[in-house]
Amino acid sequence: MVKVKIINKSISASTDEERCAEEIMDVFKAYFQNYPDVEGEIWIYHSLTLAGQDVRDIDIAVIGSLNGFKINKTIYDQNSGIYKDAVLHSFCYVVELKMHDHVESKNSHIYVEYKGQPKDVTHQSELQKYAFANYCERSFGYKPFVTNVIWLH
């Protein structure tokens, strides 16, 4: 069974970040009901402030550790020369939540209007990814591979 929980949950979801963290939790819980043999934990944090980083604010961070979760894919193992089931053991991602009406895409970047000016959400999200990884390394001695996600809610 996969346990999914919001680590810094308040009594009532009062912010957009916390409400979206609850949505993420509900999606994971529903998804892993179909995989009763998979064990693990998924931790969801919202409204984080990372001390000592240039980019300090993280809307949502999700960290998961799984045991026995096979993905419906096979991968070629160059060392053994055979195809193996792809298995997901762990993941870590940060979410930049945007609830703006005006969203633009230019080249490979997403922009929202912020204080009357276009703000590069893609760049902001990239910086958050590295800030979170660096914070983990500095605080816990381990630098995870972090994926960044932009959620246009």
Side-chain angles (χ1 to χ4, degrees), residues 31-48:
Y31 182 82
F32 280 105
Q33 282 182 351
N34 298 319
Y35 298 92
D37 295 337
V38 176
E39 297 288 329
E41 289 186 273
I42 298 173
W43 299 335
I44 304 167
Y45 301 84
H46 65 85
S47 309
L48 295 175

Side-chain angles (χ1 to χ4, degrees), residues 70-85:
K70 294 181 182 178
I71 303 170
N72 269 346
K73 299 280 182 196
T74 55
I75 56 173
Y76 182 72
D77 183 344
Q78 292 180 345
N79 294 330
S80 66
I82 61 173
Y83 285 91
K84 296 182 177 183
D85 289 330

Side-chain angles (χ1 to χ4, degrees), residues 91-103:
F91 59 89
C92 177
Y93 64 91
V94 293
V95 179
E96 175 58 21
L97 177 63
K98 292 298 177 193
M99 301 182 93
H100 293 72
D101 292 330
H102 185 83
V103 178

Side-chain angles (χ1 to χ4, degrees), residues 28-67:
F28 274 121
K29 283 183 175 181
Y31 182 82
F32 280 105
Q33 282 182 351
N34 298 319
Y35 298 92
D37 295 337
V38 176
E39 297 288 329
E41 289 186 273
I42 298 173
W43 299 335
I44 304 167
Y45 301 84
H46 65 85
S47 309
L48 295 175
T49 302
L50 306 178
Q53 299 298 311
D54 291 337
V55 175
R56 297 179 33 178
D57 295 328
I58 305 289
D59 292 341
I60 299 171
V62 182
I63 301 169
S65 176
L66 303 171
N67 186 14

Side-chain angles (χ1 to χ4, degrees), residues 97-137:
L97 177 63
K98 292 298 177 193
M99 301 182 93
H100 293 72
D101 292 330
H102 185 83
V103 178
E104 285 186 36
S105 177
K106 293 180 184 172
N107 298 324
S108 62
H109 285 246
I110 296 171
Y111 293 85
V112 296
E113 190 173 312
Y114 182 74
K115 296 183 180 179
Q117 300 293 320
K119 180 171 183 170
D120 188 342
V121 180
T122 304
H123 181 69
Q124 178 185 8
S125 179
E126 280 289 313
L127 294 177
Q128 288 172 341
K129 172 176 72 173
Y130 294 113
F132 190 78
N134 292 336
Y135 177 81
C136 290
E137 182 178 41

